[in-house]
Amino acid sequence: MIPYSVLDLSPVPADSTPAQALANTVDLARHTEALGYHRYWMAEHHNMTGIASAATSILIGHVAGATSTIRVGAGGIMLPNHAPLVIAEQFGTLATLYPDRIDLGLGRAPGTDQLTMRALRRGEQSADMFPQDVVELMGYFEPAQPGQKVRAVPGAGTHVPVWILGSSLFGAQLAAHLGLPYAFASHFAPDALEQAVEIYRARFNPGATEKPCFMLAVNVFGADTDAEALRLKTSMQQAFINLRTGRPGPLPKPVDNIQDIAPPEMVAQVDRALRVSATGAPAKVTEDLSALIDRHRPDEVILTGQIHDHAARLRSFEIAAEAMKTIGARSGATAS
């Protein structure tokens, strides 16, 4: 069976609070751990009132402490915002506290706007140093060498697994060159997906991993009926529209028909960005996920879904887990 994992941005629903969003994250982590999810990743975003996961490493520690078996990590840390040594110390500490459970996904984007990037004290040129910073960071996770002047303490010798995240060909090339696992942000920027995966697999040089390991990101909006699933999806559609029109905010409440509140051309743009999705009742979610897996042949699938109602979100991840188990059972039967 292909491993299936969770990407959670700790969404802050309209009429709720960051405190409730963080409580929801812990609840979802425990819930998905019981459902057999392999990883629980959180992402770094700044100055966004609808996302509560800005202090990503702190939240990773909180979730790891509230669970027992699921791997917990970053999907990802936006490395241009940080000195590699600081991230090595943070994740070295996490790996020391929770051995063999911590992952570190690294992205090149700032995860925010230019004004906030300046508030983070990182210049625009920081992204240009991304390849060198990744190599430096990975070096801190290796055992310390005699005479080494700068060490990550804790961190040295922890061998924290590093992933490269991306939505363009650059990340695919870097992951292939360094021999690292690669996660593509197909849940919101799928345009370069097929070309990036092709480049990653064709150019892969064994390094930290012996063979390519590609993770496909998929939005899931599962419900007991197709109509209800489409309604749940409207929260994320609205959030994307608000972001693209310069009005980001808390995750909106769902509406009966997205066409009633947004122009058709804007809805079409957002739906193109969100086209790597599985939306509907359990049978439809299984059908959609199966088609995506058959098409892209991922080694792992990471599922996300910005749903306003927490109970509905829990149910959506239940449906997705059952779908992945069904797909795995079919694949096993086919293989035999």
Side-chain angles (χ1 to χ4, degrees), residues 79-91:
L79 194 53
N81 296 337
H82 310 278
L85 177 60
V86 172
I87 297 303
E89 291 170 339
Q90 291 176 1
F91 279 80

Side-chain angles (χ1 to χ4, degrees), residues 62-112:
H62 185 55
V63 169
T67 53
S68 58
T69 58
I70 196 168
R71 296 191 66 87
V72 188
I77 290 294
M78 301 298 105
L79 194 53
N81 296 337
H82 310 278
L85 177 60
V86 172
I87 297 303
E89 291 170 339
Q90 291 176 1
F91 279 80
T93 300
L94 289 167
T96 302
L97 291 169
Y98 307 102
D100 300 319
R101 290 186 59 206
I102 302 300
D103 299 321
L104 174 54
L106 298 172
R108 186 169 65 123
T112 188

